């Protein structure tokens, strides 16, 4: 392996498995390659194995089996202090007995850098996170957002090739979180650093990542760009975990289509599809557009948009969502309408059997 | 400023648990308990300024003669005082040296039989000092350490260790292990982590433990009777005096003991507060000042 020239992978997980004492599986079997310089998010609910994966990357947990490569070097059994990885902890883990400066200086001090280079590097790192002038303060004298910047400066000051982040925005309020996401993304681009970011927040994952790794139950469900993950979910779990969706059967869709023009059913009746609420469009009854009729049974006002529960001709229900103001005649409960949907937004999630034609999905 | 005031306002208001007659009874009981606790101290303080030649209350007149006796008239008193200080200091050092690492290990390791080990460490609290004294005497006699300062320090360590282990263990348990993980992630090897992160954060707990160890030794009379030999500690000297002379010097000595205890606690409180401030930052202190 050493003979091979450096690959594009900053990190390689090969069949990594982690079983905790007592037989609890943290991570069942993970193989993943992370391209150098990309922002990769491990996304999943609690217990999905994302944090365990991060802890194994950092060296705080040892895999039960499998291999972890960083820059093509096997680090599976390397202790954390020899891995040279930056890390931002969930609670920031700033040293309370040190000033901001001393915190940021710590990794340089243990690397035995001389005082001048330390001072220069600390100043540069604090400038990067826009905290000039805060060096003499104690972490407890800072706000949550400022503490996070210190943690980021401390993790970046020694120029690690990889930055690990464990739900670092969890403690921040929404406005600040959105602001920090933008800044973090900008810093990542500026430094060209590889980021592994752990979160259970799908919006956060989609707004920052080049690639999202959706994890569930210790396994990887899908690795893709945010757009692909959202529009082409590979499994029912992914479709359900990211955003809202309808799980509709072929029969549901057929009931609409057939009622309209008596054409042969295009969908296999037992197949399950994911159809995002915003992909559904309403048309007034009486026009030739769309299929129906459907009845609006319930409305949920969301500010910028409204969610509508509609009843299909076959009796099943479906959620649609539309930007407010999109329809000139406002939709009200009890309306009888027709609906249409973008065919390429119907994603087959579960296929019922072999041999049946499937017109949707790619 | 606004924030501080708000913080103050969010504190729940104190409301008496009971009102009316039950409340009055409760207040009375509290007062009785306080008198009960502080009464002897006050009486001893008064007697120590007595002009009489024997212990008695109330004194017929006041003087400093017994303090004069303690601080020079009878040199054995001051000698005993300094011996107690020496023994207490050595006990403090040894108990910390032995107890603090043990406490950190007990707080950290997932030992299967940890409750049993903890119970063993805390056992001296449950055993009568007299039994410890007799047992220590017999064992130390075998190795020829009875009557030596070191023997007495060893004995006092047995009494002090539970306090040291308990205090340090509480500190070690509340320490966020992620701080150590962070240090390691930043490149610090385990020894550096211990020296630069773990130890500084445990200092307040270790300090409290040290004060307890000092006072346990300084206040002990039972072990001192068995182990201190011909040069008595202050407590032993007082005991001898009570049996042989019953002069109010004992009261003066008691007052000095109380003073030392108060000073030790005051030092502890001040230093501990400083340390906590350093760790917790100025904000918390500001809150206290409001």
């Amino acid at each position: 392996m050493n003979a091979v020239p450096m690959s594009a992978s900053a990190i390689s997980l090969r069949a990594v498995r982690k079983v905790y004492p007592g037989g609890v599986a943290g991570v069942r079997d993970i193989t993943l390659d992370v391209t150098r310089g990309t922002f990769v998010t491990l996304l999943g609910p609690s217990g999905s194995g994302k944090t365990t994966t991060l802890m194994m990357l950092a060296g705080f947990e040892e895999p039960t089996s499998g291999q972890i490569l960083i820059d093509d070097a096997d680090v599976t059994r390397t202790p954390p202090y020899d891995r040279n990885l930056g890390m931002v902890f969930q609670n920031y883990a700033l040293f309370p007995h040190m000033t901001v400066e001393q915190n940021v200086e710590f990794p340089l001090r243990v690397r035995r850098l001389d005082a001048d280079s330390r001072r220069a590097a600390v100043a540069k790192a604090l400038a990067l996170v826009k905290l000039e002038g805060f060096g003499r303060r104690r972490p407890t004298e800072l706000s949550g957002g400022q503490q996070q910047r210190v943690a980021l400066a401390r993790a970046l000051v020694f120029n690690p090739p990889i930055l690990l982040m464990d739900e670092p925005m969890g403690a921040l309020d929404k406005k600040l979180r959105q602001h920090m996401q933008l800044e973090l993304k900008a810093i990542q681009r500026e430094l060209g650093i590889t980021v592994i970011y752990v979160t259970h927040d799908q919006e956060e994952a989609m707004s920052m990542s080049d690639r999202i790794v959706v994890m569930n139950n210790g396994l990887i469900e899908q690795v893709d760009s945010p757009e692909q993950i959202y529009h082409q979910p590979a499994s029912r779990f992914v479709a359900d975990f990211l955003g809202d969706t309808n799980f509709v059967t072929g029969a549901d869709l057929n009931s609409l289509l057939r009622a309209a023009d008596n054409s042969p059913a295009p969908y296999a009746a037992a197949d399950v599809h994911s159809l995002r609420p915003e992909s559904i469009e309403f048309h007034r009854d009486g026009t030739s557009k769309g299929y129906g009729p459907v009845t609006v049974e319930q409305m949920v006002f969301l500010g910028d948009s409204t969610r509508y529960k509609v009843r299909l001709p076959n009796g099943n229900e479906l959620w649609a969502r539309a930007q407010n103001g999109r329809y000139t005649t406002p939709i009200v409960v009890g309306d009888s309408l027709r609906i249409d949907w973008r065919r390429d937004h119907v994603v087959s999630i579960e296929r019922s059997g072999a041999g049946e034609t499937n017109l949707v999905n790619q | 400023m606004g924030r501080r005031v708000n913080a103050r306002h969010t504190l729940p208001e104190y409301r008496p648990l009971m009102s009316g007659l039950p409340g009055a009874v409760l207040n009375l009981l509290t007062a009785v308990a306080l008198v009960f606790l502080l009464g002897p101290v006050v009486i001893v303080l008064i007697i120590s300024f007595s002009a009489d030649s024997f212990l008695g209350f109330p004194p017929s007149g006041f003087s400093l003669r017994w303090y004069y006796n303690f601080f020079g008239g009878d040199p054995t008193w001051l000698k005993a005082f300094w011996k107690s200080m020496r023994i207490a200091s050595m006990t403090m050092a040894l108990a910390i040296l032995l107890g603090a690492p043990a406490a950190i290990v007990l707080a950290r390791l997932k030992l299967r039989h940890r409750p049993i080990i903890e119970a063993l460490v805390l056992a001296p609290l449950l055993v009568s000092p007299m039994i410890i004294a007799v047992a220590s005497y017999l064992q130390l006699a075998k190795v020829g350490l009875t009557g030596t300062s070191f023997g007495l320090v060893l004995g006092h360590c047995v009494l002090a260790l539970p306090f040291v282990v308990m205090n340090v263990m509480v500190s070690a348990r509340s320490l966020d292990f992620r701080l150590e993980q962070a240090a390691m992630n930043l490149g610090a090897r385990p020894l550096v982590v211990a020296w630069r992160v773990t130890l500084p954060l445990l200092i307040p707990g270790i300090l409290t433990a040290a004060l307890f160890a000092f006072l346990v030794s300084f206040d002990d009379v039972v072990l001192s009777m068995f182990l201190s030999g011909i040069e008595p500690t202050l407590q032993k000297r007082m005991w001898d005096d009570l049996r042989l002379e019953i002069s109010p010097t004992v009261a003066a000595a008691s007052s000095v003991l109380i003073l030392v205890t108060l000073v030790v606690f005051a030092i502890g409180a001040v230093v501990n507060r400083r340390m906590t401030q350093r760790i917790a930052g100025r904000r918390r202190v500001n809150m206290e000042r409001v």
Side-chain angles (χ1 to χ4, degrees):
Chain A
M1 211 169 306
N2 292 335
V4 182
M6 204 141 94
S7 67
S9 292
I11 295 169
S12 246
L13 300 177
R14 299 195 178 157
V16 172
R17 177 188 292 268
K18 174 72 188 177
V19 182
Y20 287 106
V24 183
V27 167
R28 288 161 196 267
D29 184 11
I30 282 194
T31 296
L32 178 71
D33 277 280
V34 175
T35 311
R36 209 179 305 281
T38 53
F39 194 119
V40 174
T41 298
L42 306 183
L43 175 69
S46 56
S48 60
K50 57 189 194 304
T51 302
T52 304
T53 307
L54 195 77
M55 289 298 149
M56 288 192 289
L57 278 173
F60 299 128
E61 302 266 12
E62 202 172 289
T64 312
S65 63
Q67 249 189 331
I68 297 174
L69 307 175
I70 291 176
D71 281 336
D72 299 320
D74 188 336
V75 297
T76 314
R77 312 258 178 268
T78 306
Y81 43 84
D82 283 334
R83 292 197 183 196
N84 199 39
L85 303 172
M87 180 157 180
V88 176
F89 286 75
Q90 195 168 10
N91 64 344
Y92 317 135
L94 298 176
F95 304 127
H97 57 299
M98 297 182 196
T99 62
V100 167
E101 234 162 41
Q102 288 166 335
N103 264 283
V104 179
E105 197 187 20
F106 186 87
L108 307 176
R109 217 174 242 283
V110 298
R111 283 172 175 74
R112 300 183 190 283
L113 260 70
D114 63 90
D116 286 340
S117 353
R118 288 206 306 261
R119 210 170 304 125
V122 168
K124 200 177 141 203
L126 286 179
L128 183 72
V129 298
K130 303 189 177 98
L131 274 184
E132 301 104 323
F134 285 81
R136 295 293 155 96
R137 301 225 197 157
R138 300 241 164 226
T140 39
E141 297 172 286
L142 303 178
S143 69
Q146 289 167 337
Q147 287 182 32
Q148 193 191 43
R149 287 159 191 268
V150 177
L152 191 59
R154 189 179 67 176
L156 293 173
V157 73
F158 55 102
N159 295 320
I162 296 167
L163 177 64
L164 308 177
M165 304 187 85
D166 184 13
E167 308 222 15
M169 312 270 186
L172 306 180
D173 59 60
K174 198 179 173 191
K175 279 263 161 63
L176 188 57
R177 197 156 62 213
Q178 287 174 344
H179 179 74
M180 286 303 294
Q181 286 167 9
L182 287 176
E183 241 175 83
L184 177 60
K185 185 68 190 167
I187 288 174
Q188 186 257 332
R189 279 213 198 92
E190 189 185 328
L191 302 179
I193 195 171
T194 310
V195 174
I196 306 293
Y197 192 99
V198 162
T199 185
H200 63 267
D201 184 333
Q202 36 132 341
E203 266 182 50
E204 198 168 282
M206 285 193 278
S207 67
M208 287 192 289
S209 318
D210 296 314
R211 288 176 92 67
I212 296 178
V213 180
V214 184
M215 296 188 66
N216 181 34
N217 230 342
L219 291 168
I220 293 178
E221 294 264 343
Q222 188 172 2
V223 184
D224 253 319
S225 68
E227 294 79 8
Q228 282 290 314
I229 294 264
Y230 188 79
H231 290 301
Q232 300 293 332
S235 65
R236 191 185 184 107
F237 175 83
V238 176
D240 200 24
F241 192 71
L242 281 102
D244 298 323
T245 199
N246 293 292
F247 289 111
V248 291
T249 60
D252 291 329
L253 297 170
N254 291 339
S255 79
L256 283 162
L257 297 176
R258 232 189 322 221
D261 50 18
N262 288 320
S263 60
Y267 297 100
D271 280 5
V272 177
H273 308 274
S274 162
L275 179 57
R276 301 273 181 205
E278 70 270 20
S279 300
I280 296 171
E281 207 170 54
F282 288 110
H283 296 284
R284 283 282 149 196
D285 209 3
T287 63
S288 58
K289 287 177 179 167
Y291 306 95
V294 300
T295 318
V296 178
E297 291 197 339
Q298 201 179 336
M299 288 171 50
V300 182
F301 179 69
L302 297 173
D304 59 339
S305 60
T306 302
R307 274 157 55 87
Y308 307 90
K309 186 166 99 178
V310 298
R311 186 67 61 188
L312 302 182
N314 71 348
N316 288 342
E317 64 188 42
L318 202 64
W319 283 94
R321 193 172 76 209
Q323 294 297 313
N324 289 325
R326 176 168 167 190
Y327 299 108
T328 39
T329 315
I331 294 167
V332 294
V333 171
D335 275 1
S336 182
L337 301 167
R338 297 164 70 80
I339 58 171
D340 204 351
W341 56 91
R342 280 188 52 177
R343 297 298 187 272
D344 58 338
H345 282 188
V346 177
V347 181
S348 170
I349 296 293
E350 285 161 29
R351 302 199 182 179
S352 49
E356 285 185 73
T357 47
N358 200 299
L359 303 180
V360 291
N361 199 7
Q362 280 118 29
Chain B
M1 280 307 273
R3 171 178 291 172
R4 276 189 239 156
V5 172
N6 285 338
R8 174 81 175 186
H9 277 276
T10 56
L11 290 174
E13 246 177 77
Y14 172 73
R15 284 200 187 161
L17 206 58
M18 289 179 237
S19 54
L21 186 64
V25 170
L26 197 65
N27 288 344
L28 187 71
L29 282 176
T30 310
V32 168
L34 280 177
V35 168
F36 203 74
L37 285 171
L38 288 177
V41 175
V42 173
I43 288 175
V44 163
L45 277 174
I46 293 171
I47 296 178
S48 71
F49 290 102
S50 165
D52 303 338
S53 301
F54 47 86
L55 272 177
F57 189 83
S60 58
F62 292 99
S63 79
L64 287 174
R65 60 187 284 207
W66 302 114
Y67 282 98
Y68 178 76
N69 192 41
F70 181 88
F71 284 111
D74 180 351
T76 56
W77 281 104
L78 217 49
K79 210 174 158 196
F81 172 78
W82 286 118
K83 170 152 184 173
S84 278
M85 292 292 277
R86 272 202 316 278
I87 297 286
S89 304
M90 287 193 284
T91 302
M92 180 172 85
L94 188 63
I96 290 295
L97 223 58
L98 292 174
I104 294 169
V105 169
L106 279 176
R108 289 297 168 79
L109 289 186
K110 284 186 179 129
L111 297 171
R112 221 151 51 91
H113 301 296
R114 194 170 69 189
I116 298 171
I117 298 171
E118 277 182 27
L120 280 175
V121 172
L122 302 182
L125 287 178
L126 306 174
V127 179
S128 155
M130 183 60 88
I131 292 172
I132 294 172
V134 173
S136 307
Y137 183 82
L138 293 175
Q139 291 307 309
L140 291 173
K142 279 187 194 161
V143 289
L145 280 174
T146 41
T148 65
S149 289
F150 184 61
L152 185 56
V153 167
L154 284 182
H156 281 173
C157 265
V158 174
L159 298 183
L161 270 174
F163 293 98
V164 170
V165 171
M166 274 201 300
N167 271 299
V168 179
M169 207 157 65
V170 167
S171 278
R173 285 234 173 95
S174 64
L175 187 81
D176 185 354
F177 69 95
R178 279 174 298 191
L179 293 173
E180 290 168 323
Q181 283 193 337
M184 254 193 269
N185 166 259
L186 294 168
R189 281 155 195 285
L191 268 179
V192 179
V193 176
W195 182 248
R196 301 279 320 267
V197 176
T198 314
L199 204 61
L201 292 172
L202 289 183
I203 282 292
I206 291 175
L207 198 87
T208 313
L211 295 181
F212 269 108
F214 184 93
L215 289 179
V216 163
S217 166
F218 198 75
D219 288 342
D220 166 72
V221 58
V222 181
L223 262 71
S224 297
M225 286 199 318
F226 280 80
L227 302 174
S228 67
I230 40 170
E231 278 186 27
T233 63
L234 184 55
Q235 299 275 6
K236 171 81 172 1
R237 177 71 184 80
M238 288 166 73
W239 171 253
D240 291 344
D241 189 83
L242 281 172
R243 282 204 312 169
L244 307 172
E245 299 176 50
I246 320 189
S247 84
T249 315
V250 168
S254 300
S255 302
V256 171
L257 267 179
I258 292 166
L259 189 71
V260 167
T261 307
L262 284 178
V263 166
V264 167
F265 264 111
I267 292 173
V270 168
V271 178
N272 209 336
R273 208 179 134 139
R274 281 247 177 113
M275 296 280 186
T276 320
Q277 270 174 34
R278 272 194 54 185
I279 292 172
R282 253 168 260 152
R283 184 180 285 178
R284 195 171 296 171
V285 185
N286 286 340
M287 303 266 271
E288 277 171 19
R289 271 199 212 123
V290 174

